[in-house]
Amino acid sequence: MKQLVFATSNPNKIEEVNQMLDDRFDIIGLKDIGCTEEVPETQETIEGNALQKARYVAEKYKVNCFSEDTGLEIDALDGAPGVYTARYGGPERSAEKNMAKVQRELQGKDKRGAQFKTVIALILDGEEHTFTGIARGTIRKEKSGTDGFGYDPIFAPEGYNITFAEMNSAEKNKISHRGQAVRQLIAFLERRD
Ligand code: ITT
C-alpha cells in the first residue's frame, strides 16, 4: 500500500478525496506527521500555491506528499476571486462572507459563467507532478443546498439544474474540479506501480 501525506488543513477536501481512493492508498494528514503550523500559501497562481504547499511539507518532513489548491474563477470578474478564493470576503475565510461578496460584485451583471479550478501537486521520490481539473458552471443568485462546502451553494455545474451543495459527495466527485484532478492522480500512481 502506498502511503502519501495529503498536505491540507481542510477536512472537507480530505473527505472528498478519501471517498475516491480505495484501500490501495493510505492517505495520512498533516497532524499525523506532526505538522500543526500553517503551511505557507503566498504565490500568485493556483498552481504556484499547490506546489508551494507540497514542497514545504515534502522538504520539511521528508515525506512523499500531495497538496491541492482550488480557486473559483468568475468570467464577469476577469477570473476573480481566483487565488484569493479562500479569503475573498475577509481574512476570517468565512464561506458566507465569501459568497456574499461574489453576489455584491455580480450585482447588475448578466454574465454568470464561472469555473472551479483545482491543481494537485504531487511530490513523489523528489519528483514534482501536477494534475489539473476544471468544472464549468454558473453562479446562482440564491443559495441552494446544504451538502458540500465553500461556494457550493451558489455554483451550479454545467448541464445540471442543481448546485454542488444539492449533490452528495459521490455525485459531486463524478464531475467536479477536484474529482477530475484526483482521477488523474490515481491513474498516475497506478502507472507507477
Ligand atoms: P488548504 O489547507 O488545502 O490550503 P484551504 O481551505 O485553505 O485548504 P484553498 O486555499 O484551496 O483551501 O482555498 C480554497 C477556497 O475555495 C476555500 O474558500 C474553499 O471553501 C473554496 N473551495 C475549495 N474547493 C471547493 C469546492 O469543491 N466547492 C466549493 N468551494 C470550494
PDB file of all heavy atoms in Angstrom, residues 7-10 13 16 41 53 68-71 85-87 93 98 116 149-152 164 172 177-178, ligand 1:
ATOM      1  N   ALA A   7      -1.320  17.095   2.072  1.00  0.00           N
ATOM      2  CA  ALA A   7      -0.922  18.336   2.741  1.00  0.00           C
ATOM      3  C   ALA A   7      -2.028  19.374   2.651  1.00  0.00           C
ATOM      4  O   ALA A   7      -1.974  20.301   1.850  1.00  0.00           O
ATOM      5  CB  ALA A   7       0.366  18.876   2.115  1.00  0.00           C
ATOM      6  N   THR A   8      -3.050  19.191   3.483  1.00  0.00           N
ATOM      7  CA  THR A   8      -4.142  20.159   3.545  1.00  0.00           C
ATOM      8  C   THR A   8      -4.623  20.298   4.970  1.00  0.00           C
ATOM      9  O   THR A   8      -4.500  19.353   5.757  1.00  0.00           O
ATOM     10  CB  THR A   8      -5.338  19.737   2.660  1.00  0.00           C
ATOM     11  OG1 THR A   8      -6.357  20.737   2.760  1.00  0.00           O
ATOM     12  CG2 THR A   8      -5.941  18.397   3.082  1.00  0.00           C
ATOM     13  N   SER A   9      -5.160  21.467   5.283  1.00  0.00           N
ATOM     14  CA  SER A   9      -5.755  21.642   6.611  1.00  0.00           C
ATOM     15  C   SER A   9      -7.276  21.674   6.497  1.00  0.00           C
ATOM     16  O   SER A   9      -7.965  21.989   7.455  1.00  0.00           O
ATOM     17  CB  SER A   9      -5.243  22.944   7.240  1.00  0.00           C
ATOM     18  OG  SER A   9      -5.538  24.014   6.374  1.00  0.00           O
ATOM     19  N   ASN A  10      -7.783  21.379   5.309  1.00  0.00           N
ATOM     20  CA  ASN A  10      -9.226  21.473   5.066  1.00  0.00           C
ATOM     21  C   ASN A  10      -9.877  20.079   5.114  1.00  0.00           C
ATOM     22  O   ASN A  10      -9.698  19.271   4.208  1.00  0.00           O
ATOM     23  CB  ASN A  10      -9.434  22.125   3.693  1.00  0.00           C
ATOM     24  CG  ASN A  10     -10.897  22.382   3.389  1.00  0.00           C
ATOM     25  OD1 ASN A  10     -11.764  21.637   3.835  1.00  0.00           O
ATOM     26  ND2 ASN A  10     -11.160  23.418   2.628  1.00  0.00           N
ATOM     27  N   LYS A  13     -11.846  18.723   2.057  1.00  0.00           N
ATOM     28  CA  LYS A  13     -11.047  18.194   0.945  1.00  0.00           C
ATOM     29  C   LYS A  13     -10.657  16.745   1.243  1.00  0.00           C
ATOM     30  O   LYS A  13     -10.723  15.877   0.377  1.00  0.00           O
ATOM     31  CB  LYS A  13      -9.770  19.013   0.758  1.00  0.00           C
ATOM     32  CG  LYS A  13      -9.974  20.423   0.230  1.00  0.00           C
ATOM     33  CD  LYS A  13      -8.622  21.101   0.039  1.00  0.00           C
ATOM     34  CE  LYS A  13      -8.745  22.510  -0.512  1.00  0.00           C
ATOM     35  NZ  LYS A  13      -7.426  23.160  -0.675  1.00  0.00           N
ATOM     36  N   GLU A  16     -13.635  14.389   0.658  1.00  0.00           N
ATOM     37  CA  GLU A  16     -13.947  14.146  -0.762  1.00  0.00           C
ATOM     38  C   GLU A  16     -12.898  13.249  -1.409  1.00  0.00           C
ATOM     39  O   GLU A  16     -13.211  12.339  -2.172  1.00  0.00           O
ATOM     40  CB  GLU A  16     -14.048  15.473  -1.528  1.00  0.00           C
ATOM     41  CG  GLU A  16     -15.334  16.211  -1.244  1.00  0.00           C
ATOM     42  CD  GLU A  16     -15.555  17.433  -2.144  1.00  0.00           C
ATOM     43  OE1 GLU A  16     -14.786  17.661  -3.096  1.00  0.00           O
ATOM     44  OE2 GLU A  16     -16.524  18.150  -1.879  1.00  0.00           O
ATOM     45  N   GLU A  41       1.273  29.801   1.748  1.00  0.00           N
ATOM     46  CA  GLU A  41       0.485  29.771   0.515  1.00  0.00           C
ATOM     47  C   GLU A  41       0.472  31.217   0.008  1.00  0.00           C
ATOM     48  O   GLU A  41      -0.504  31.932   0.188  1.00  0.00           O
ATOM     49  CB  GLU A  41      -0.933  29.337   0.918  1.00  0.00           C
ATOM     50  CG  GLU A  41      -1.797  28.846  -0.166  1.00  0.00           C
ATOM     51  CD  GLU A  41      -3.153  28.358   0.378  1.00  0.00           C
ATOM     52  OE1 GLU A  41      -3.263  28.085   1.600  1.00  0.00           O
ATOM     53  OE2 GLU A  41      -4.071  28.256  -0.407  1.00  0.00           O
ATOM     54  N   LYS A  53       2.797  24.502  -1.257  1.00  0.00           N
ATOM     55  CA  LYS A  53       2.363  23.723  -0.092  1.00  0.00           C
ATOM     56  C   LYS A  53       3.029  22.345  -0.094  1.00  0.00           C
ATOM     57  O   LYS A  53       3.511  21.866   0.931  1.00  0.00           O
ATOM     58  CB  LYS A  53       0.834  23.566  -0.091  1.00  0.00           C
ATOM     59  CG  LYS A  53       0.087  24.856   0.200  1.00  0.00           C
ATOM     60  CD  LYS A  53      -1.424  24.656   0.346  1.00  0.00           C
ATOM     61  CE  LYS A  53      -2.183  24.833  -0.923  1.00  0.00           C
ATOM     62  NZ  LYS A  53      -3.646  24.900  -0.773  1.00  0.00           N
ATOM     63  N   GLU A  68      -3.342  20.297  -2.686  1.00  0.00           N
ATOM     64  CA  GLU A  68      -4.160  20.828  -3.777  1.00  0.00           C
ATOM     65  C   GLU A  68      -4.552  22.253  -3.462  1.00  0.00           C
ATOM     66  O   GLU A  68      -4.672  22.641  -2.303  1.00  0.00           O
ATOM     67  CB  GLU A  68      -5.364  19.937  -4.038  1.00  0.00           C
ATOM     68  CG  GLU A  68      -6.438  19.962  -2.971  1.00  0.00           C
ATOM     69  CD  GLU A  68      -7.649  20.754  -3.407  1.00  0.00           C
ATOM     70  OE1 GLU A  68      -7.558  22.000  -3.341  1.00  0.00           O
ATOM     71  OE2 GLU A  68      -8.671  20.146  -3.767  1.00  0.00           O
ATOM     72  N   ASP A  69      -4.688  23.048  -4.511  1.00  0.00           N
ATOM     73  CA  ASP A  69      -5.188  24.399  -4.354  1.00  0.00           C
ATOM     74  C   ASP A  69      -6.351  24.564  -5.307  1.00  0.00           C
ATOM     75  O   ASP A  69      -6.294  24.100  -6.447  1.00  0.00           O
ATOM     76  CB  ASP A  69      -4.097  25.425  -4.659  1.00  0.00           C
ATOM     77  CG  ASP A  69      -4.412  26.760  -4.014  1.00  0.00           C
ATOM     78  OD1 ASP A  69      -4.513  26.814  -2.780  1.00  0.00           O
ATOM     79  OD2 ASP A  69      -4.579  27.758  -4.751  1.00  0.00           O
ATOM     80  N   THR A  70      -7.412  25.184  -4.815  1.00  0.00           N
ATOM     81  CA  THR A  70      -8.615  25.361  -5.632  1.00  0.00           C
ATOM     82  C   THR A  70      -8.997  26.826  -5.670  1.00  0.00           C
ATOM     83  O   THR A  70      -8.917  27.518  -4.668  1.00  0.00           O
ATOM     84  CB  THR A  70      -9.778  24.532  -5.043  1.00  0.00           C
ATOM     85  OG1 THR A  70      -9.435  23.148  -5.136  1.00  0.00           O
ATOM     86  CG2 THR A  70     -11.081  24.778  -5.796  1.00  0.00           C
ATOM     87  N   GLY A  71      -9.417  27.288  -6.837  1.00  0.00           N
ATOM     88  CA  GLY A  71      -9.892  28.663  -6.964  1.00  0.00           C
ATOM     89  C   GLY A  71     -11.175  28.704  -7.764  1.00  0.00           C
ATOM     90  O   GLY A  71     -11.419  27.859  -8.629  1.00  0.00           O
ATOM     91  N   THR A  85      -9.595  33.061  -3.460  1.00  0.00           N
ATOM     92  CA  THR A  85     -10.891  32.432  -3.213  1.00  0.00           C
ATOM     93  C   THR A  85     -11.176  32.197  -1.734  1.00  0.00           C
ATOM     94  O   THR A  85     -12.285  32.461  -1.268  1.00  0.00           O
ATOM     95  CB  THR A  85     -10.972  31.101  -3.991  1.00  0.00           C
ATOM     96  OG1 THR A  85     -10.894  31.420  -5.386  1.00  0.00           O
ATOM     97  CG2 THR A  85     -12.260  30.359  -3.727  1.00  0.00           C
ATOM     98  N   ALA A  86     -10.183  31.740  -0.987  1.00  0.00           N
ATOM     99  CA  ALA A  86     -10.418  31.382   0.429  1.00  0.00           C
ATOM    100  C   ALA A  86     -10.732  32.605   1.278  1.00  0.00           C
ATOM    101  O   ALA A  86     -11.488  32.519   2.236  1.00  0.00           O
ATOM    102  CB  ALA A  86      -9.204  30.645   0.996  1.00  0.00           C
ATOM    103  N   ARG A  87     -10.129  33.755   0.941  1.00  0.00           N
ATOM    104  CA  ARG A  87     -10.309  34.940   1.815  1.00  0.00           C
ATOM    105  C   ARG A  87     -10.904  36.122   1.059  1.00  0.00           C
ATOM    106  O   ARG A  87     -10.604  37.283   1.359  1.00  0.00           O
ATOM    107  CB  ARG A  87      -8.959  35.306   2.458  1.00  0.00           C
ATOM    108  CG  ARG A  87      -7.849  35.483   1.440  1.00  0.00           C
ATOM    109  CD  ARG A  87      -6.471  35.194   2.060  1.00  0.00           C
ATOM    110  NE  ARG A  87      -5.651  34.493   1.080  1.00  0.00           N
ATOM    111  CZ  ARG A  87      -4.739  35.089   0.322  1.00  0.00           C
ATOM    112  NH1 ARG A  87      -4.494  36.372   0.412  1.00  0.00           N
ATOM    113  NH2 ARG A  87      -4.042  34.378  -0.555  1.00  0.00           N
ATOM    114  N   ARG A  93     -12.014  34.002   6.377  1.00  0.00           N
ATOM    115  CA  ARG A  93     -12.249  32.889   5.451  1.00  0.00           C
ATOM    116  C   ARG A  93     -13.639  32.276   5.627  1.00  0.00           C
ATOM    117  O   ARG A  93     -13.788  31.046   5.616  1.00  0.00           O
ATOM    118  CB  ARG A  93     -11.161  31.805   5.633  1.00  0.00           C
ATOM    119  CG  ARG A  93      -9.764  32.350   5.469  1.00  0.00           C
ATOM    120  CD  ARG A  93      -8.727  31.414   6.044  1.00  0.00           C
ATOM    121  NE  ARG A  93      -8.423  30.344   5.128  1.00  0.00           N
ATOM    122  CZ  ARG A  93      -7.396  30.304   4.312  1.00  0.00           C
ATOM    123  NH1 ARG A  93      -6.543  31.281   4.288  1.00  0.00           N
ATOM    124  NH2 ARG A  93      -7.214  29.295   3.517  1.00  0.00           N
ATOM    125  N   ASN A  98     -17.747  35.067   1.886  1.00  0.00           N
ATOM    126  CA  ASN A  98     -17.189  34.909   0.530  1.00  0.00           C
ATOM    127  C   ASN A  98     -18.307  34.913  -0.508  1.00  0.00           C
ATOM    128  O   ASN A  98     -18.220  35.591  -1.539  1.00  0.00           O
ATOM    129  CB  ASN A  98     -16.406  33.589   0.428  1.00  0.00           C
ATOM    130  CG  ASN A  98     -15.074  33.633   1.162  1.00  0.00           C
ATOM    131  OD1 ASN A  98     -14.560  34.713   1.461  1.00  0.00           O
ATOM    132  ND2 ASN A  98     -14.514  32.464   1.436  1.00  0.00           N
ATOM    133  N   PHE A 116     -14.556  26.322 -11.377  1.00  0.00           N
ATOM    134  CA  PHE A 116     -13.666  25.942 -10.289  1.00  0.00           C
ATOM    135  C   PHE A 116     -12.457  25.287 -10.920  1.00  0.00           C
ATOM    136  O   PHE A 116     -12.592  24.456 -11.836  1.00  0.00           O
ATOM    137  CB  PHE A 116     -14.315  24.894  -9.381  1.00  0.00           C
ATOM    138  CG  PHE A 116     -15.166  25.458  -8.282  1.00  0.00           C
ATOM    139  CD1 PHE A 116     -16.524  25.224  -8.254  1.00  0.00           C
ATOM    140  CD2 PHE A 116     -14.594  26.208  -7.262  1.00  0.00           C
ATOM    141  CE1 PHE A 116     -17.313  25.728  -7.227  1.00  0.00           C
ATOM    142  CE2 PHE A 116     -15.374  26.712  -6.222  1.00  0.00           C
ATOM    143  CZ  PHE A 116     -16.731  26.476  -6.215  1.00  0.00           C
ATOM    144  N   PHE A 149     -19.243  22.273   0.582  1.00  0.00           N
ATOM    145  CA  PHE A 149     -18.644  23.314   1.421  1.00  0.00           C
ATOM    146  C   PHE A 149     -18.314  24.525   0.557  1.00  0.00           C
ATOM    147  O   PHE A 149     -18.559  24.518  -0.653  1.00  0.00           O
ATOM    148  CB  PHE A 149     -17.394  22.775   2.138  1.00  0.00           C
ATOM    149  CG  PHE A 149     -16.251  22.426   1.213  1.00  0.00           C
ATOM    150  CD1 PHE A 149     -15.157  23.280   1.071  1.00  0.00           C
ATOM    151  CD2 PHE A 149     -16.258  21.256   0.467  1.00  0.00           C
ATOM    152  CE1 PHE A 149     -14.098  22.961   0.232  1.00  0.00           C
ATOM    153  CE2 PHE A 149     -15.211  20.934  -0.387  1.00  0.00           C
ATOM    154  CZ  PHE A 149     -14.132  21.784  -0.499  1.00  0.00           C
ATOM    155  N   GLY A 150     -17.765  25.555   1.211  1.00  0.00           N
ATOM    156  CA  GLY A 150     -17.321  26.748   0.486  1.00  0.00           C
ATOM    157  C   GLY A 150     -18.429  27.359  -0.363  1.00  0.00           C
ATOM    158  O   GLY A 150     -19.531  27.630   0.123  1.00  0.00           O
ATOM    159  N   TYR A 151     -18.145  27.531  -1.643  1.00  0.00           N
ATOM    160  CA  TYR A 151     -19.067  28.214  -2.556  1.00  0.00           C
ATOM    161  C   TYR A 151     -20.099  27.267  -3.180  1.00  0.00           C
ATOM    162  O   TYR A 151     -20.846  27.667  -4.058  1.00  0.00           O
ATOM    163  CB  TYR A 151     -18.268  28.867  -3.689  1.00  0.00           C
ATOM    164  CG  TYR A 151     -17.309  29.961  -3.267  1.00  0.00           C
ATOM    165  CD1 TYR A 151     -16.072  29.659  -2.700  1.00  0.00           C
ATOM    166  CD2 TYR A 151     -17.629  31.303  -3.451  1.00  0.00           C
ATOM    167  CE1 TYR A 151     -15.177  30.663  -2.330  1.00  0.00           C
ATOM    168  CE2 TYR A 151     -16.741  32.316  -3.086  1.00  0.00           C
ATOM    169  CZ  TYR A 151     -15.517  31.978  -2.527  1.00  0.00           C
ATOM    170  OH  TYR A 151     -14.646  32.988  -2.162  1.00  0.00           O
ATOM    171  N   ASP A 152     -20.132  26.022  -2.756  1.00  0.00           N
ATOM    172  CA  ASP A 152     -21.031  25.038  -3.387  1.00  0.00           C
ATOM    173  C   ASP A 152     -22.498  25.467  -3.475  1.00  0.00           C
ATOM    174  O   ASP A 152     -23.145  25.193  -4.488  1.00  0.00           O
ATOM    175  CB  ASP A 152     -20.934  23.678  -2.672  1.00  0.00           C
ATOM    176  CG  ASP A 152     -19.695  22.900  -3.089  1.00  0.00           C
ATOM    177  OD1 ASP A 152     -19.081  23.268  -4.106  1.00  0.00           O
ATOM    178  OD2 ASP A 152     -19.344  21.933  -2.395  1.00  0.00           O
ATOM    179  N   PHE A 164     -23.803  22.306  -6.565  1.00  0.00           N
ATOM    180  CA  PHE A 164     -22.951  21.271  -5.947  1.00  0.00           C
ATOM    181  C   PHE A 164     -23.449  20.939  -4.543  1.00  0.00           C
ATOM    182  O   PHE A 164     -23.317  19.802  -4.077  1.00  0.00           O
ATOM    183  CB  PHE A 164     -21.506  21.754  -5.855  1.00  0.00           C
ATOM    184  CG  PHE A 164     -20.650  21.431  -7.064  1.00  0.00           C
ATOM    185  CD1 PHE A 164     -19.537  22.216  -7.357  1.00  0.00           C
ATOM    186  CD2 PHE A 164     -20.918  20.342  -7.884  1.00  0.00           C
ATOM    187  CE1 PHE A 164     -18.721  21.925  -8.441  1.00  0.00           C
ATOM    188  CE2 PHE A 164     -20.109  20.047  -8.971  1.00  0.00           C
ATOM    189  CZ  PHE A 164     -18.999  20.844  -9.255  1.00  0.00           C
ATOM    190  N   LYS A 172     -21.016  14.748  -6.702  1.00  0.00           N
ATOM    191  CA  LYS A 172     -20.137  15.905  -6.960  1.00  0.00           C
ATOM    192  C   LYS A 172     -18.781  15.440  -7.498  1.00  0.00           C
ATOM    193  O   LYS A 172     -18.266  15.990  -8.474  1.00  0.00           O
ATOM    194  CB  LYS A 172     -19.967  16.718  -5.663  1.00  0.00           C
ATOM    195  CG  LYS A 172     -19.061  17.930  -5.837  1.00  0.00           C
ATOM    196  CD  LYS A 172     -18.830  18.692  -4.533  1.00  0.00           C
ATOM    197  CE  LYS A 172     -17.697  19.708  -4.715  1.00  0.00           C
ATOM    198  NZ  LYS A 172     -17.283  20.346  -3.461  1.00  0.00           N
ATOM    199  N   HIS A 177     -14.190  19.631 -10.310  1.00  0.00           N
ATOM    200  CA  HIS A 177     -12.777  20.012 -10.469  1.00  0.00           C
ATOM    201  C   HIS A 177     -11.865  19.075  -9.665  1.00  0.00           C
ATOM    202  O   HIS A 177     -10.915  18.520 -10.177  1.00  0.00           O
ATOM    203  CB  HIS A 177     -12.626  21.466 -10.006  1.00  0.00           C
ATOM    204  CG  HIS A 177     -13.404  21.766  -8.753  1.00  0.00           C
ATOM    205  ND1 HIS A 177     -14.771  21.677  -8.688  1.00  0.00           N
ATOM    206  CD2 HIS A 177     -13.004  22.072  -7.488  1.00  0.00           C
ATOM    207  CE1 HIS A 177     -15.181  21.937  -7.461  1.00  0.00           C
ATOM    208  NE2 HIS A 177     -14.127  22.181  -6.702  1.00  0.00           N
ATOM    209  N   ARG A 178     -12.201  18.895  -8.377  1.00  0.00           N
ATOM    210  CA  ARG A 178     -11.347  18.055  -7.525  1.00  0.00           C
ATOM    211  C   ARG A 178     -11.414  16.599  -7.970  1.00  0.00           C
ATOM    212  O   ARG A 178     -10.402  15.907  -8.028  1.00  0.00           O
ATOM    213  CB  ARG A 178     -11.769  18.196  -6.049  1.00  0.00           C
ATOM    214  CG  ARG A 178     -10.921  17.385  -5.070  1.00  0.00           C
ATOM    215  CD  ARG A 178     -11.177  17.804  -3.623  1.00  0.00           C
ATOM    216  NE  ARG A 178     -10.883  19.203  -3.428  1.00  0.00           N
ATOM    217  CZ  ARG A 178     -11.823  20.167  -3.372  1.00  0.00           C
ATOM    218  NH1 ARG A 178     -13.112  19.851  -3.426  1.00  0.00           N
ATOM    219  NH2 ARG A 178     -11.477  21.427  -3.254  1.00  0.00           N
TER     220      ARG A 178
HETATM  221  P1  ITT B   1      -5.571  24.017   2.256  1.00  0.00           P
HETATM  222  O1  ITT B   1      -5.066  23.719   3.628  1.00  0.00           O
HETATM  223  O2  ITT B   1      -5.630  22.809   1.382  1.00  0.00           O
HETATM  224  O3  ITT B   1      -4.866  25.203   1.619  1.00  0.00           O
HETATM  225  P2  ITT B   1      -7.889  25.763   2.161  1.00  0.00           P
HETATM  226  O4  ITT B   1      -9.275  25.637   2.700  1.00  0.00           O
HETATM  227  O5  ITT B   1      -7.067  26.945   2.600  1.00  0.00           O
HETATM  228  O6  ITT B   1      -7.122  24.412   2.476  1.00  0.00           O
HETATM  229  P3  ITT B   1      -7.638  26.681  -0.582  1.00  0.00           P
HETATM  230  O7  ITT B   1      -6.525  27.603  -0.253  1.00  0.00           O
HETATM  231  O8  ITT B   1      -7.507  25.783  -1.770  1.00  0.00           O
HETATM  232  O9  ITT B   1      -8.011  25.700   0.611  1.00  0.00           O
HETATM  233  O10 ITT B   1      -8.942  27.583  -0.687  1.00  0.00           O
HETATM  234  C1  ITT B   1      -9.964  27.175  -1.408  1.00  0.00           C
HETATM  235  C2  ITT B   1     -11.168  28.057  -1.211  1.00  0.00           C
HETATM  236  O11 ITT B   1     -12.098  27.612  -2.176  1.00  0.00           O
HETATM  237  C3  ITT B   1     -11.860  27.915   0.129  1.00  0.00           C
HETATM  238  O12 ITT B   1     -12.566  29.110   0.404  1.00  0.00           O
HETATM  239  C4  ITT B   1     -12.868  26.806  -0.110  1.00  0.00           C
HETATM  240  O13 ITT B   1     -14.013  26.942   0.699  1.00  0.00           O
HETATM  241  C5  ITT B   1     -13.211  27.007  -1.576  1.00  0.00           C
HETATM  242  N1  ITT B   1     -13.392  25.704  -2.224  1.00  0.00           N
HETATM  243  C6  ITT B   1     -12.424  24.772  -2.475  1.00  0.00           C
HETATM  244  N2  ITT B   1     -12.957  23.698  -3.055  1.00  0.00           N
HETATM  245  C7  ITT B   1     -14.275  23.937  -3.174  1.00  0.00           C
HETATM  246  C8  ITT B   1     -15.351  23.183  -3.675  1.00  0.00           C
HETATM  247  O14 ITT B   1     -15.178  21.955  -4.143  1.00  0.00           O
HETATM  248  N3  ITT B   1     -16.568  23.723  -3.653  1.00  0.00           N
HETATM  249  C9  ITT B   1     -16.756  24.968  -3.164  1.00  0.00           C
HETATM  250  N4  ITT B   1     -15.803  25.753  -2.645  1.00  0.00           N
HETATM  251  C10 ITT B   1     -14.567  25.233  -2.653  1.00  0.00           C
END
